[in-house]
Short mmCIF file of all heavy atoms in Angstrom, two decimals:
data_model
loop_
_atom_site.label_atom_id
_atom_site.label_comp_id
_atom_site.label_asym_id
_atom_site.label_seq_id
_atom_site.Cartn_x
_atom_site.Cartn_y
_atom_site.Cartn_z
N THR A 199 -29.48 -133.21 42.49
CA THR A 199 -30.35 -133.74 41.42
C THR A 199 -30.79 -135.17 41.74
O THR A 199 -31.90 -135.56 41.38
CB THR A 199 -29.65 -133.68 40.05
OG1 THR A 199 -28.35 -134.25 40.16
CG2 THR A 199 -29.54 -132.24 39.56
N LEU A 202 -33.68 -134.84 44.23
CA LEU A 202 -34.90 -134.38 43.54
C LEU A 202 -35.49 -135.51 42.70
O LEU A 202 -36.69 -135.72 42.68
CB LEU A 202 -34.58 -133.16 42.66
CG LEU A 202 -34.19 -131.89 43.44
CD1 LEU A 202 -33.66 -130.83 42.48
CD2 LEU A 202 -35.37 -131.35 44.22
N HIS A 203 -34.61 -136.24 41.99
CA HIS A 203 -35.08 -137.37 41.17
C HIS A 203 -35.76 -138.42 42.06
O HIS A 203 -36.82 -138.96 41.71
CB HIS A 203 -33.91 -137.99 40.41
CG HIS A 203 -34.24 -139.30 39.78
ND1 HIS A 203 -35.03 -139.41 38.65
CD2 HIS A 203 -33.92 -140.57 40.12
CE1 HIS A 203 -35.17 -140.68 38.33
NE2 HIS A 203 -34.51 -141.41 39.20
N LEU A 205 -37.27 -138.02 44.86
CA LEU A 205 -38.54 -137.52 45.40
C LEU A 205 -39.59 -137.31 44.31
O LEU A 205 -40.77 -137.13 44.61
CB LEU A 205 -38.31 -136.20 46.14
CG LEU A 205 -37.44 -136.28 47.40
CD1 LEU A 205 -37.11 -134.87 47.90
CD2 LEU A 205 -38.14 -137.07 48.51
N ALA A 206 -39.17 -137.35 43.05
CA ALA A 206 -40.07 -137.02 41.92
C ALA A 206 -40.99 -138.17 41.52
O ALA A 206 -41.80 -138.02 40.63
CB ALA A 206 -39.24 -136.58 40.71
N PHE A 272 -29.14 -129.74 52.65
CA PHE A 272 -30.02 -128.97 51.75
C PHE A 272 -31.15 -128.37 52.59
O PHE A 272 -32.30 -128.85 52.57
CB PHE A 272 -30.61 -129.89 50.67
CG PHE A 272 -29.59 -130.61 49.82
CD1 PHE A 272 -29.69 -131.98 49.61
CD2 PHE A 272 -28.55 -129.92 49.22
CE1 PHE A 272 -28.77 -132.65 48.81
CE2 PHE A 272 -27.61 -130.59 48.43
CZ PHE A 272 -27.73 -131.96 48.23
N LEU A 275 -35.28 -128.22 52.13
CA LEU A 275 -35.75 -128.93 50.93
C LEU A 275 -36.76 -130.03 51.27
O LEU A 275 -37.89 -130.03 50.75
CB LEU A 275 -34.55 -129.53 50.17
CG LEU A 275 -34.88 -130.30 48.91
CD1 LEU A 275 -35.67 -129.44 47.93
CD2 LEU A 275 -33.62 -130.82 48.25
N SER A 278 -40.02 -128.66 52.70
CA SER A 278 -40.91 -128.00 51.73
C SER A 278 -41.59 -129.03 50.84
O SER A 278 -42.75 -128.86 50.46
CB SER A 278 -40.14 -126.96 50.90
OG SER A 278 -39.19 -127.58 50.07
N VAL A 279 -40.88 -130.12 50.52
CA VAL A 279 -41.50 -131.17 49.70
C VAL A 279 -42.61 -131.87 50.51
O VAL A 279 -43.71 -132.10 49.99
CB VAL A 279 -40.45 -132.19 49.21
CG1 VAL A 279 -41.12 -133.41 48.58
CG2 VAL A 279 -39.51 -131.53 48.21
N ALA A 282 -45.53 -129.56 50.68
CA ALA A 282 -46.18 -129.45 49.38
C ALA A 282 -47.02 -130.69 49.09
O ALA A 282 -48.03 -130.63 48.38
CB ALA A 282 -45.15 -129.24 48.28
N THR B 125 -44.71 -133.79 41.76
CA THR B 125 -43.71 -134.71 41.20
C THR B 125 -43.19 -134.20 39.86
O THR B 125 -42.03 -134.42 39.52
CB THR B 125 -44.28 -136.14 41.06
OG1 THR B 125 -45.54 -136.08 40.37
CG2 THR B 125 -44.47 -136.79 42.42
N LEU B 128 -40.59 -131.55 40.71
CA LEU B 128 -39.35 -132.18 41.20
C LEU B 128 -38.60 -132.84 40.05
O LEU B 128 -37.37 -132.73 39.95
CB LEU B 128 -39.67 -133.21 42.29
CG LEU B 128 -40.24 -132.62 43.59
CD1 LEU B 128 -40.78 -133.73 44.49
CD2 LEU B 128 -39.17 -131.81 44.33
N HIS B 129 -39.34 -133.52 39.17
CA HIS B 129 -38.71 -134.17 38.01
C HIS B 129 -38.03 -133.12 37.12
O HIS B 129 -36.90 -133.31 36.66
CB HIS B 129 -39.76 -134.94 37.21
CG HIS B 129 -39.27 -135.40 35.87
ND1 HIS B 129 -38.38 -136.45 35.71
CD2 HIS B 129 -39.53 -134.93 34.62
CE1 HIS B 129 -38.12 -136.61 34.43
NE2 HIS B 129 -38.80 -135.70 33.74
N LEU B 131 -36.83 -130.26 37.94
CA LEU B 131 -35.65 -129.68 38.62
C LEU B 131 -34.53 -130.70 38.81
O LEU B 131 -33.40 -130.32 39.14
CB LEU B 131 -36.05 -129.12 39.98
CG LEU B 131 -37.02 -127.92 39.97
CD1 LEU B 131 -37.50 -127.61 41.37
CD2 LEU B 131 -36.34 -126.69 39.36
N ALA B 132 -34.82 -131.97 38.59
CA ALA B 132 -33.85 -133.05 38.88
C ALA B 132 -32.81 -133.23 37.79
O ALA B 132 -31.93 -134.08 37.91
CB ALA B 132 -34.59 -134.37 39.13
N PHE B 198 -46.27 -124.15 46.24
CA PHE B 198 -45.37 -125.05 46.98
C PHE B 198 -44.38 -124.19 47.78
O PHE B 198 -43.20 -124.08 47.41
CB PHE B 198 -44.61 -125.98 46.02
CG PHE B 198 -45.49 -126.80 45.12
CD1 PHE B 198 -45.26 -126.86 43.75
CD2 PHE B 198 -46.53 -127.56 45.64
CE1 PHE B 198 -46.06 -127.63 42.91
CE2 PHE B 198 -47.34 -128.35 44.81
CZ PHE B 198 -47.10 -128.38 43.45
N PRO B 199 -44.82 -123.62 48.90
CA PRO B 199 -43.99 -122.64 49.60
C PRO B 199 -42.61 -123.18 49.98
O PRO B 199 -42.49 -124.27 50.55
CB PRO B 199 -44.82 -122.31 50.85
CG PRO B 199 -46.23 -122.58 50.44
CD PRO B 199 -46.15 -123.77 49.52
N LEU B 201 -40.23 -124.33 48.24
CA LEU B 201 -39.61 -125.40 47.45
C LEU B 201 -38.55 -124.86 46.49
O LEU B 201 -37.38 -125.28 46.55
CB LEU B 201 -40.69 -126.17 46.68
CG LEU B 201 -40.18 -127.32 45.81
CD1 LEU B 201 -39.38 -128.32 46.63
CD2 LEU B 201 -41.34 -128.01 45.11
N SER B 204 -35.55 -123.33 48.31
CA SER B 204 -34.64 -124.30 48.94
C SER B 204 -33.80 -125.01 47.88
O SER B 204 -32.63 -125.31 48.11
CB SER B 204 -35.41 -125.30 49.80
OG SER B 204 -36.22 -126.14 49.01
N VAL B 205 -34.38 -125.26 46.71
CA VAL B 205 -33.60 -125.90 45.63
C VAL B 205 -32.52 -124.94 45.13
O VAL B 205 -31.37 -125.33 44.94
CB VAL B 205 -34.53 -126.35 44.48
CG1 VAL B 205 -33.71 -126.78 43.26
CG2 VAL B 205 -35.42 -127.50 44.93
N ALA B 208 -29.84 -124.78 47.69
CA ALA B 208 -29.07 -126.03 47.72
C ALA B 208 -28.11 -126.12 46.53
O ALA B 208 -27.05 -126.73 46.62
CB ALA B 208 -30.02 -127.23 47.72
#
Side-chain angles (χ1 to χ4, degrees):
Chain A
T199 50
L202 293 170
H203 169 73
L205 295 171
F272 303 131
L275 180 57
S278 67
V279 170
Chain B
T125 50
L128 294 169
H129 169 73
L131 294 171
F198 303 131
L201 180 57
S204 67
V205 170

